[in-house]
Amino acid sequence: MTDTVKYVLDESRIPRAWYNLQADLPKPLPPVLHPGTKQPVGPDDLAPLFPMELILQEVTQEREVPIPEPVRDVYRQWRPSPLFRARRLEKVLQTPAHIYYKYEGVSPAGSHKPNTAVPQAFYNREAGVRKLVTETGAGQWGSSLAFAGALFGIDVQVFMVRVSYDQKPYRRALMETYGAKCVASPSNLTNAGRAILAQRPDHPGSLGIAISEAVEIAAQNDHIKYALGSVLNHVLLHQTIVGQEAIEQFAMTGDYPDVIVGCTGGGSNFAGLAFPFIGAQLRGGKKIDVIATEPTACPTLTRGRYAYDFGDTAHLTPLTKMHTLGSTFTPPGFHAGGLRYHGMAPLVSHLQELGLSRSLAYTQSRVFDAGVQFARAEGIVPAPEANHAVRGAIDEAIRCREEGVSRTILFNLSGHGHFDMQAYIDYFGGKLKDLAYDEAELASALAGLPSVAEPA
Amino acid sequence: MTDTVKYVLDESRIPRAWYNLQADLPKPLPPVLHPGTKQPVGPDDLAPLFPMELILQEVTQEREVPIPEPVRDVYRQWRPSPLFRARRLEKVLQTPAHIYYKYEGVSPAGSHKPNTAVPQAFYNREAGVRKLVTETGAGQWGSSLAFAGALFGIDVQVFMVRVSYDQKPYRRALMETYGAKCVASPSNLTNAGRAILAQRPDHPGSLGIAISEAVEIAAQNDHIKYALGSVLNHVLLHQTIVGQEAIEQFAMTGDYPDVIVGCTGGGSNFAGLAFPFIGAQLRGGKKIDVIATEPTACPTLTRGRYAYDFGDTAHLTPLTKMHTLGSTFTPPGFHAGGLRYHGMAPLVSHLQELGLSRSLAYTQSRVFDAGVQFARAEGIVPAPEANHAVRGAIDEAIRCREEGVSRTILFNLSGHGHFDMQAYIDYFGGKLKDLAYDEAELASALAGLPSVAEPA
């Protein structure tokens, strides 16, 4: 038996609650601070942006947060997602490793993002919200919120980072097919956007800028709320169904992961897969080598500072303690647009500080080498973001071959690359450059970090 | 419960045999004729193009053809494919109809085509073939054979119809990601291609021309075989796993189809879904209204003649009795490139002649209206070809509403449109024209049909 093996759960096994890692942490998260007072924010501070249910999920310490039935009903369309054993890839690599991947590209929008888009749209509809505004990098998040908005009758406006807006017209078309409005960011629709364009009319944009634009519109309009596709605790919480399903599926395999790999932009797909396993470890289970992989051109976890910073460029958000390259840092325009973020989810940063995970950075050409090798073996073309996880998994499998040991490697194939084929065209055409960030700009962005004393 | 419902089979329920409709036909298919002798062809006549196992499948009258285990192993990656009840679409349409769709877009290449690409690659590998050459319209077939070739270590060369080659660069990139070579047709690589280009250097191509090019190369090279993605009996045979699974899934629903809809280019996805149900009907089961839907711009079943004709433009293939617009007919360059074929599967044509199915034609704009409505309700963006089936199903559902009757409608959502988003961009941009074929060209093509007396 050398063929790919699929592990499927019945839909009755879709988790009934999201798993909250905060309940098992050996040390709590540092508090989120108000940018003016530098004191911990309360729920009311966030109320202009989010419905109260999501704010409460942001801060809850309960281990389990029940998933509403209407959300589970929508999940049923594509969940539980399959877990695959990549036997064909193992054979190509001639590795004794067992390689597994959880495949989230089976969702209608093609990635893990609907796992949180659906509950976010649901809670907003329950709160009477008629319009959501958000940012998107590669477009995975924007199209997922567009999908969820269509289901729950909510208008969706998406600020799409300019470089991705230009690179990925098909992803824009997908958002429009779902009925959303998509705008290139920086735009002339907001003060934040106009200020950036005044300085640099051809600015390629960044997630930090797009967040500023979306937050600005939500903050100024009572009937409009904001939605974020990663970083925040409640977003990572919603993604934990991925890892919970994987734990159940591993019970069918006879294996258990020694290594878990996920790519990190804001951290949500990585968290979704890894947190339930890390929680099991913290409650006395097996120790796992958990690896976050990221681009060398936006090395938040590997080169960033663990410090209080803003989530956006215009400084409209609260301050969170996280690994950051500085909120003014603009990464070069590489193809994994979903990983072009200056910060990192506070929970993911916290884990690395606690020694519960580690991080590796890869160049663009090496992640596409891995993605093409994976596609030819397994038949699925990964998204550029997911190629970072594929690279990490393949490197671990090669290490197993070199060391002559068999380890069980699990990675999150967070999305397919159907809307990102321009990147593959560039790769095959020899046009995929290994872009580097500007060291002086990074130094300047880090020097500009706000001065904050962490509350005792 | 108003949400989409999914019916999933365990992978142990992947059929163990393909279903052969020929065993149940009330009247046998007219024979395939040699273009020179006009006498029925024998297996040896086809041996330059296909391995003997596929030739035998082309002519077998056995009801069941066993599926080799290595093929089932590959099928397991995405099969059984889900059957969905489109409750959200029913609600939008305010119809009493029950709408179901079998979703074949879950395959790695995004359509039903791998169902036959995988066994074709398998039988060729078993026969020692190292290279396959084929044609593709929209690219669904070419990318599926590229996928299958990558799995079985077979080189794949694809002649892609020029208009699609230009419209769908992402689909080309997918083939290249799987390691195949993709060439625009008509090309300068063959006599057939050069002859067309000499007459019209900017020829948009057609499936008939691309078939000529691929057949020419296979016929002239002993070590190269040809593969066809539709039309032939063995291709339709391989697709019957779709309908067989659907029959099992319907047993879980409490419903049974009154109406079955599939789009038809060469006829394979339509056949795959409908044949097992028609077979059940012919063996005494319930009568079903079976509808083939096609473009008004290439109306093979609704405007074509039922006559002996060549499968390709350069007249390199045998003669088959089928609905045809004439082998020299070149359809206009509409977006459903997979439906731009002058002929029709002989089995599908035969069914219509026997009164076991009927056909409807739609304009491009009406099928995209339906596709966008479907996408907003169900979250899946269909391929332009599949939109013809969506249109047919929606029209039937609206008729149910108008007549105040509930019928159960099943259609084949044969593929997703991720690589076809330019068509949606054109649709939203108001640039999607309802192209018409040239009536004089059709008359001329029909007048040029070969004169053949059907053997007694």
Side-chain angles (χ1 to χ4, degrees):
Chain A
M1 173 52 128
T2 56
D3 224 87
T4 296
V5 186
K6 179 178 60 174
Y7 298 93
V8 183
L9 292 176
D10 185 77
E11 66 179 31
S12 64
R13 312 278 283 281
I14 294 171
R16 297 188 178 276
W18 294 296
Y19 165 68
N20 183 13
L21 180 65
Q22 294 194 64
D24 291 315
L25 285 176
K27 185 181 161 191
L29 273 184
V32 175
L33 304 182
H34 190 284
T37 65
K38 311 258 169 107
Q39 291 302 307
V41 297
D44 289 349
D45 293 314
L46 298 172
L49 298 184
F50 304 108
M52 195 49 68
E53 279 294 326
L54 291 175
I55 295 170
L56 296 175
Q57 290 183 0
E58 190 66 17
V59 298
T60 181
Q61 301 294 310
E62 294 294 319
R63 183 174 284 125
E64 297 201 333
V65 176
I67 304 176
E69 274 308 309
V71 171
R72 288 185 84 240
D73 281 345
V74 177
Y75 281 167
R76 278 192 186 97
Q77 187 176 354
W78 71 92
R79 305 210 70 85
S81 69
L83 176 76
F84 288 105
R85 168 97 182 261
R87 293 254 195 190
R88 296 195 295 247
L89 180 63
E90 291 170 15
K91 195 176 168 191
V92 168
L93 297 173
Q94 298 181 284
T95 178
H98 295 191
I99 307 175
Y100 292 86
Y101 59 98
K102 182 77 168 161
Y103 184 39
E104 291 294 312
V106 294
S107 80
S111 78
H112 63 296
K113 295 289 189 188
N115 296 336
T116 183
V118 170
Q120 289 194 49
F122 168 77
Y123 289 118
N124 273 286
R125 190 200 60 181
E126 292 296 289
V129 175
R130 302 298 300 276
K131 181 171 177 177
L132 283 169
V133 60
T134 194
E135 75 294 324
T136 200
Q140 297 272 20
W141 167 243
S143 53
S144 298
L145 193 68
F147 159 69
L151 299 190
F152 289 101
I154 295 176
D155 289 339
V156 174
Q157 182 178 22
V158 182
F159 287 91
M160 186 171 188
V161 175
R162 163 65 71 184
V163 61
S164 292
Y165 186 91
D166 293 336
Q167 279 172 345
K168 299 178 199 289
Y170 284 21
R171 189 56 86 168
R172 273 189 280 147
L174 179 61
M175 292 183 235
E176 287 167 8
T177 302
Y178 289 143
K181 299 273 177 297
C182 183
V183 181
S185 167
S187 80
N188 275 312
L189 300 180
T190 64
N191 293 329
R194 284 186 291 267
I196 300 278
L197 289 174
Q199 284 175 15
R200 185 177 163 189
D202 67 339
H203 198 291
S206 72
L207 280 165
I209 294 167
I211 292 172
S212 292
E213 294 206 87
V215 166
E216 181 181 323
I217 285 183
Q220 291 175 354
N221 294 278
D222 282 349
H223 63 294
I224 302 177
K225 295 286 184 196
Y226 169 66
L228 187 63
S230 190
V231 178
L232 297 176
N233 299 341
H234 71 269
V235 180
L236 276 55
L237 176 77
H238 298 157
Q239 293 294 350
T240 57
I241 48 175
V242 177
Q244 290 185 75
E245 288 177 5
I247 287 174
E248 281 215 57
Q249 287 162 317
F250 261 97
M252 304 159 72
T253 68
D255 277 329
Y256 194 83
D258 299 299
V259 184
I260 290 179
V261 184
C263 67
T264 45
S268 78
N269 92 77
F270 167 81
L273 180 63
F275 282 9
F277 286 96
I278 294 173
Q281 173 183 327
L282 291 170
R283 297 191 304 276
K286 182 177 154 186
K287 172 101 178 80
I288 299 174
D289 184 15
V290 178
I291 307 172
T293 59
E294 64 180 13
T296 51
C298 190
T300 316
L301 281 168
T302 52
R303 295 283 315 272
R305 192 171 299 166
Y306 186 56
Y308 271 99
D309 197 7
F310 293 95
D312 73 319
T313 305
H315 297 180
L316 303 177
T317 70
L319 292 160
T320 50
K321 189 132 184 217
M322 60 182 176
H323 289 87
T324 177
L325 300 166
S327 63
T328 61
F329 178 78
T330 300
F334 55 83
H335 277 284
L339 308 185
R340 293 179 68 252
Y341 185 55
H342 69 276
M344 183 52 59
L347 272 169
V348 172
S349 293
H350 190 62
L351 279 186
Q352 180 165 304
E353 289 302 301
L354 293 173
L356 292 166
S357 65
R358 61 188 177 105
S359 47
L360 295 171
Y362 300 114
T363 59
Q364 185 162 235
S365 58
R366 286 202 70 230
V367 303
F368 275 87
D369 288 344
V372 170
Q373 187 170 39
F374 179 84
R376 291 186 181 173
E378 296 294 319
I380 299 170
V381 179
E385 293 80 10
N387 280 344
H388 291 74
V390 176
R391 177 79 270 163
I394 287 180
D395 280 1
E396 282 298 308
I398 291 172
R399 201 155 67 86
C400 286
R401 181 183 70 207
E402 290 169 349
E403 296 176 2
V405 295
S406 171
R407 277 188 285 266
T408 295
I409 301 163
L410 166 64
F411 72 97
N412 198 353
L413 190 64
S414 54
H416 62 62
H418 300 172
F419 297 94
D420 308 292
M421 295 308 292
Q422 188 59 49
Y424 286 88
I425 293 172
D426 290 353
Y427 175 80
F428 289 116
K431 291 179 192 159
L432 198 80
K433 302 237 181 325
D434 281 336
L435 304 171
Y437 58 83
D438 181 329
E439 287 281 0
E441 191 193 339
L442 174 58
S444 159
L446 289 172
L449 284 175
S451 171
V452 179
E454 185 172 336
Chain B
M1 173 52 126
T2 56
D3 223 88
T4 297
V5 186
K6 180 177 60 174
Y7 298 92
V8 182
L9 292 176
D10 184 77
E11 65 179 31
S12 64
R13 310 279 283 282
I14 294 172
R16 297 189 178 274
W18 293 297
Y19 164 69
N20 182 13
L21 181 63
Q22 295 194 63
D24 290 315
L25 285 176
K27 185 181 161 190
L29 272 184
V32 175
L33 305 183
H34 189 285
T37 65
K38 311 260 170 102
Q39 292 301 307
V41 298
D44 289 348
D45 293 314
L46 298 171
L49 298 184
F50 303 108
M52 195 48 69
E53 278 294 326
L54 292 175
I55 294 171
L56 295 176
Q57 289 183 0
E58 190 66 18
V59 297
T60 182
Q61 301 294 310
E62 295 293 320
R63 182 174 285 124
E64 297 199 333
V65 176
I67 304 176
E69 273 308 308
V71 171
R72 288 185 84 240
D73 281 345
V74 177
Y75 281 166
R76 277 192 187 96
Q77 187 177 355
W78 70 93
R79 304 209 71 85
S81 70
L83 176 77
F84 288 105
R85 167 95 181 261
R87 293 255 196 190
R88 297 196 295 247
L89 179 64
E90 292 170 15
K91 195 176 169 190
V92 169
L93 297 173
Q94 298 182 284
T95 178
H98 294 192
I99 306 175
Y100 292 86
Y101 59 98
K102 182 78 168 161
Y103 184 39
E104 290 294 312
V106 294
S107 80
S111 78
H112 64 296
K113 295 290 189 185
N115 296 335
T116 183
V118 170
Q120 289 194 48
F122 168 77
Y123 288 118
N124 274 285
R125 191 200 59 181
E126 293 295 289
V129 175
R130 302 298 300 276
K131 181 171 177 178
L132 283 169
V133 60
T134 194
E135 74 294 324
T136 200
Q140 298 272 21
W141 167 243
S143 53
S144 298
L145 194 67
F147 159 69
L151 299 191
F152 289 102
I154 295 176
D155 289 340
V156 173
Q157 182 178 22
V158 182
F159 286 92
M160 186 171 187
V161 174
R162 164 65 72 184
V163 60
S164 292
Y165 186 91
D166 293 337
Q167 278 172 347
K168 298 177 199 290
Y170 284 19
R171 189 55 86 168
R172 274 189 280 148
L174 179 60
M175 293 183 233
E176 288 167 6
T177 302
Y178 288 144
K181 299 273 176 296
C182 184
V183 182
S185 168
S187 79
N188 274 312
L189 301 179
T190 64
N191 292 328
R194 284 186 291 266
I196 299 277
L197 289 174
Q199 285 175 16
R200 186 177 164 190
D202 68 338
H203 198 291
S206 72
L207 278 166
I209 295 167
I211 292 172
S212 292
E213 295 207 86
V215 166
E216 181 181 324
I217 285 182
Q220 291 176 352
N221 293 277
D222 282 349
H223 63 292
I224 303 177
K225 295 284 183 197
Y226 169 66
L228 188 63
S230 189
V231 178
L232 297 177
N233 300 341
H234 71 268
V235 179
L236 276 54
L237 176 78
H238 298 157
Q239 293 294 350
T240 58
I241 48 174
V242 177
Q244 290 185 74
E245 288 177 5
I247 287 175
E248 281 215 57
Q249 287 162 317
F250 261 97
M252 303 158 72
T253 68
D255 276 330
Y256 194 83
D258 299 299
V259 184
I260 290 179
V261 184
C263 66
T264 44
S268 78
N269 92 77
F270 167 81
L273 180 63
F275 282 9
F277 286 96
I278 293 174
Q281 174 183 326
L282 290 171
R283 296 191 305 276
K286 181 178 156 185
K287 172 104 179 78
I288 300 173
D289 183 15
V290 178
I291 307 172
T293 58
E294 64 181 12
T296 51
C298 189
T300 315
L301 281 169
T302 52
R303 295 284 315 272
R305 193 170 299 165
Y306 186 55
Y308 270 99
D309 197 8
F310 292 94
D312 74 317
T313 304
H315 298 181
L316 303 177
T317 69
L319 292 160
T320 51
K321 188 130 185 217
M322 60 182 178
H323 288 86
T324 176
L325 301 166
S327 63
T328 61
F329 177 78
T330 301
F334 55 84
H335 278 284
L339 307 186
R340 294 180 67 252
Y341 185 55
H342 70 275
M344 183 51 59
L347 272 168
V348 172
S349 292
H350 190 62
L351 279 186
Q352 181 166 301
E353 289 302 302
L354 293 173
L356 292 167
S357 65
R358 60 189 178 105
S359 47
L360 295 171
Y362 300 115
T363 59
Q364 185 162 236
S365 58
R366 287 202 70 231
V367 304
F368 275 86
D369 288 344
V372 170
Q373 187 171 38
F374 180 84
R376 290 184 182 174
E378 296 294 319
I380 298 172
V381 179
E385 294 80 10
N387 280 344
H388 291 74
V390 176
R391 178 77 271 163
I394 288 180
D395 280 1
E396 282 298 309
I398 291 172
R399 201 155 66 85
C400 286
R401 182 183 69 209
E402 290 170 350
E403 296 176 2
V405 296
S406 172
R407 276 189 286 267
T408 296
I409 301 163
L410 167 64
F411 72 97
N412 198 353
L413 190 63
S414 54
H416 62 62
H418 300 173
F419 297 94
D420 310 291
M421 296 307 293
Q422 188 58 49
Y424 286 88
I425 293 172
D426 289 353
Y427 175 81
F428 289 115
K431 291 180 192 159
L432 198 79
K433 301 235 183 327
D434 282 336
L435 303 172
Y437 57 85
D438 181 329
E439 287 280 0
E441 191 194 339
L442 175 58
S444 159
L446 289 173
L449 283 174
S451 170
V452 179
E454 185 172 336

